[in-house]
């Protein structure tokens, strides 16, 4: 048995926002490209969170990759794990390596290491981080988590999500 690994050329979302998105001519084109990308990541998270009952735990501009065709791919699977039903907490790997993700992408309960609260919603931590990424797609890179409360530059049709 031979193992073959096939890859495709990608760039980080942070690079794509800075170098590719800025070259698009219209705001409508930019909004559609970002919307499509968010759709791709939501599908990946639905599979991980809902079907597999796993927490990704590392959603950020550095864990999302963009193909030449504009599809967004979810990477950074370093601490993916399931919720430990006995301890009522995310898996040990997730807890012990929580510092892999910048604090600005962590919900308050994760910042405070309130693992029972994180475990109650398998998807909550990932969706919080994706919301932060969505903010950065439309507003630039945030330096502080308080910036995420200013949603005025996110298109209204996406604010409903």
């Amino acid at each position: 048995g031979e193992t073959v690994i096939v890859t495709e050329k990608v760039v980080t979302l942070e690079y794509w926002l800075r170098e590719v998105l800025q070259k698009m001519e219209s705001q409508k084109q930019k909004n559609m490209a970002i919307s499509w990308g968010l759709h791709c990541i939501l599908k990946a998270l639905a599979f991980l969170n809902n079907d597999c009952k796993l927490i990704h735990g590392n959603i950020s501009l550095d864990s999302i990759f963009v193909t030449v065709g504009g599809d967004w791919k979810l990477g950074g699977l370093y601490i993916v794990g399931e919720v430990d039903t006995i301890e009522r907490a995310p898996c040990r790997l997730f807890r012990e390596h929580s510092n892999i993700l910048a604090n600005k992408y962590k919900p308050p309960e994760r910042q405070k290491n309130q693992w029972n609260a994180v475990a109650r919603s398998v998807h909550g931590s990932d969706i919080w981080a994706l919301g932060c990424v969505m903010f950065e797609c439309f507003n630039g890179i945030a330096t502080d988590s308080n910036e995420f409360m200013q949603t005025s530059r996110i298109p209204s049709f996406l604010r409903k999500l």
Side-chain angles (χ1 to χ4, degrees), residues 81-150:
E82 60 188 349
V83 171
D84 184 326
T85 54
I86 295 170
E87 293 185 38
R88 294 186 182 177
C91 72
R92 197 177 102 231
L93 184 66
F94 181 95
R95 295 189 315 264
E96 290 179 1
H97 298 284
S98 185
N99 62 344
I100 199 168
L101 184 66
N103 270 339
K104 70 179 181 178
Y105 295 111
K106 295 177 186 175
E109 60 273 12
R110 185 169 173 193
Q111 289 182 23
K112 297 174 187 171
N113 295 332
Q114 295 173 339
W115 302 121
N116 289 341
V118 172
R120 278 195 293 272
S121 173
V122 173
H123 63 278
S125 186
D126 289 341
I127 293 301
W128 176 281
L130 184 61
C132 297
V133 166
M134 181 169 67
F135 174 91
E136 291 182 316
C137 287
F138 291 102
N139 296 287
I141 296 174
T143 55
D144 181 76
S145 60
N146 291 325
E147 293 177 51
F148 295 133
M149 300 304 148
Q150 303 166 5

Side-chain angles (χ1 to χ4, degrees), residues 7-146:
T7 63
E8 60 186 309
K9 186 174 180 173
V10 296
V11 295
T12 64
L13 179 56
E14 182 176 0
Y15 177 89
W16 184 85
L17 291 170
R18 187 179 62 244
E19 301 296 328
V20 179
L21 186 72
Q22 295 311 313
K23 293 176 183 169
M24 292 182 185
E25 294 181 19
S26 73
Q27 189 61 43
K28 183 177 181 178
Q29 186 181 18
K30 291 177 183 181
N31 288 350
M32 292 305 291
I34 293 170
S35 297
W36 173 251
L38 292 170
H39 170 77
C40 293
I41 298 304
L42 282 168
K43 283 178 55 177
L45 281 177
F47 173 73
L48 272 179
N49 294 160
N50 299 334
D51 299 342
C52 300
K53 306 292 187 239
L54 297 173
I55 300 173
H56 183 280
N58 189 29
I59 307 285
S60 71
L61 294 179
D62 294 327
S63 66
I64 297 172
F65 299 91
V66 186
T67 68
V68 174
D71 290 326
W72 292 14
K73 306 290 184 175
L74 186 57
L77 304 169
Y78 312 117
I79 58 172
V80 169
E82 60 188 349
V83 171
D84 184 326
T85 54
I86 295 170
E87 293 185 38
R88 294 186 182 177
C91 72
R92 197 177 102 231
L93 184 66
F94 181 95
R95 295 189 315 264
E96 290 179 1
H97 298 284
S98 185
N99 62 344
I100 199 168
L101 184 66
N103 270 339
K104 70 179 181 178
Y105 295 111
K106 295 177 186 175
E109 60 273 12
R110 185 169 173 193
Q111 289 182 23
K112 297 174 187 171
N113 295 332
Q114 295 173 339
W115 302 121
N116 289 341
V118 172
R120 278 195 293 272
S121 173
V122 173
H123 63 278
S125 186
D126 289 341
I127 293 301
W128 176 281
L130 184 61
C132 297
V133 166
M134 181 169 67
F135 174 91
E136 291 182 316
C137 287
F138 291 102
N139 296 287
I141 296 174
T143 55
D144 181 76
S145 60
N146 291 325

